[in-house]
Amino acid sequence: MKQFKTILSFELANYFKDKLFIGITVFLVAVIAVVMFFPRFTVGGDDNSSTGANSNSVMLISAKDETLSKQIAESFKPVFTDYNVEAVDYDLKSIKASIKNESAECAFVFDSSDSYTYYVNNLQMTDVNTEMADEILKSISISDKLIQSGLSAEKAQEIMGTAISYEVQTLGVDQINNFFYTYIMVFALYMVIVFYGQMISNSVAMEKSSRAMELLITSAKPTSLMFGKIIAACLAGLTQLICVFGSSIIFYNLNKSYWGDNMIINSIFNMPVELFAYMLIFFILGLLIYAFMYGAIGSMVSKVEELNTAAMPVTLIFIASFLVVVFSMSSGEVDNLLMKVCSFIPFTSPMAMFTRIAMSTVPVYEIIISVIILIASVFVIGFGSAKIYKTGVMLYGTKPSFKNIIKTVFGK
């Protein structure tokens, strides 16, 4: 235990002194800061943060029929609340000039109530003005046709003003609200496991290829070396993750009012506490499982160049798990048969079960079984990896065969 603590402290100190580790952490925090503070410097006020327009934006309405122009302008005002909607004379040259010199942001020029041209200087990806206008114009057009068919204007208005009331009661989980932070957490788990797993295997392989391992094992047990390295890497990864997500929460709260009703951002930062607890459980257990396997793989190779080939099976399993989860999330069917099976396989359950918990209703007993299997797998894989590590670090020249590895694990 004393050797383990010494190695753990030494490896952790190396991570926290490593310029690459510090640089990546600072870079990620800086990127998040830029993203979180972006609305503060690009939006004039906090009430319009969810739209591309501000309170000074002007929308011009023009039609050959002056009455139609005023009617449409009055209909647009309650809907396009982020614009100053103005009815203007039918003068295309003047309208285009107003948009080009930015005295107006956009214009609707009507030939009739159901035919128009939309003028805008730079068409943004988030511009939905035409879609909103179409819905309003449909109502106006239908109302006109009802009046033409013999109905009074009051009766037509009454028919068109019929309100539909509805209520949504979610008995399970709202997948729309949970999708964004679930995807981010799954992607973060994927990146951390791949990054730190390869870092562990690379560190072990380099020590072995440089013969430094022979000196290390004379003063410490191989198992203490392996567990010290792996636990240190997991703690470093967890620390980095806490720094990144912790800073993002702080930056979000500092700029919360500027984000307004942005559904994606609000969804990400409104993760329930119990879901965050599940994320930590599956994150830590999943990271340990793959870290042990990558550590064992690093001890099996004699050269660093052989590492990618040796780690390929484990990497492919993990990538397959990630793809299954992402495709299931995209389809909205996170409770399909494949996902249910993956929820109980230790190599895939960290992502699969967490995704099911976040985006569907999973029975408590299934969660308990999945966690128990994961915990048991951590001990089994950790024990097996320690035996492989103990044998592998002293083997040079010939990579141990799968048969010999199995014999080593089971002590035969």
Side-chain angles (χ1 to χ4, degrees), residues 178 181-182 184-186 188-189 238-249 267-285 350 354-355 357-359:
N178 295 5
Y181 59 68
T182 303
I184 287 175
M185 294 304 168
V186 168
L189 177 61
L238 192 60
T239 302
Q240 192 173 56
L241 209 63
I242 290 171
C243 289
V244 171
F245 282 101
S247 62
S248 65
I249 292 171
S267 169
I268 292 171
F269 289 97
N270 287 329
M271 177 188 286
V273 176
E274 62 272 17
L275 193 58
F276 185 76
Y278 280 126
M279 189 273 292
L280 280 179
I281 292 170
F282 286 104
F283 175 85
I284 292 170
L285 294 176
F354 172 73
T355 302
I357 292 170
M359 297 187 65

Side-chain angles (χ1 to χ4, degrees), residues 74-243:
E74 290 302 316
S75 299
F76 275 26
K77 284 179 181 178
V79 178
F80 292 98
T81 55
D82 297 315
Y83 291 91
N84 291 326
V85 180
E86 298 178 4
V88 296
D89 295 335
Y90 189 82
D91 184 351
L92 289 181
K93 186 176 180 180
S94 175
I95 290 171
K96 290 179 181 179
S98 296
I99 294 173
K100 285 185 178 180
N101 63 29
E102 298 184 351
S103 59
E105 183 170 315
C106 59
F108 285 89
V109 178
F110 292 85
D111 297 321
S112 63
S113 61
D114 54 5
S115 176
Y116 67 84
T117 302
Y118 179 62
Y119 293 94
V120 63
N121 197 28
N122 296 308
L123 185 62
Q124 299 179 4
M125 293 176 63
T126 55
D127 192 329
V128 292
N129 288 343
T130 54
E131 287 83 349
M132 295 169 67
D134 289 349
E135 293 301 316
I136 302 169
L137 295 171
K138 281 180 185 177
S139 299
I140 295 174
S141 181
I142 293 171
S143 178
D144 289 343
K145 286 181 171 59
L146 288 174
I147 293 171
Q148 291 171 12
S149 66
L151 289 177
S152 65
E154 292 77 14
K155 189 64 178 178
Q157 190 65 33
E158 181 184 341
I159 293 172
M160 294 304 300
T162 302
I164 305 299
S165 62
Y166 70 92
E167 181 181 356
V168 178
Q169 292 188 358
T170 304
L171 302 179
V173 172
D174 187 345
Q175 287 193 356
I176 296 176
N177 286 336
N178 295 5
F179 177 86
F180 300 107
Y181 59 68
T182 303
Y183 184 83
I184 287 175
M185 294 304 168
V186 168
F187 188 74
L189 177 61
Y190 174 82
M191 293 301 296
V192 170
I193 287 179
V194 168
F195 179 75
Y196 282 96
Q198 291 182 347
M199 186 179 289
I200 291 167
S201 59
N202 191 62
S203 173
V204 174
M206 286 183 67
E207 288 176 353
K208 183 179 176 181
S209 62
S210 65
R211 301 280 178 171
M213 188 66 71
E214 295 178 10
L215 297 174
L216 291 172
I217 60 174
T218 59
S219 55
K221 294 180 180 178
T223 50
S224 296
L225 279 170
M226 189 194 78
F227 281 108
K229 281 181 173 294
I230 289 173
I231 301 300
C234 292
L235 289 175
L238 192 60
T239 302
Q240 192 173 56
L241 209 63
I242 290 171
C243 289

Side-chain angles (χ1 to χ4, degrees), residues 4 53 59 64 84 95 132 226 231 333 344 371 400:
F4 167 75
M59 175 186 288
K64 293 179 180 178
N84 291 326
I95 290 171
M132 295 169 67
M226 189 194 78
I231 301 300
E333 295 292 333
F344 301 101
V371 172

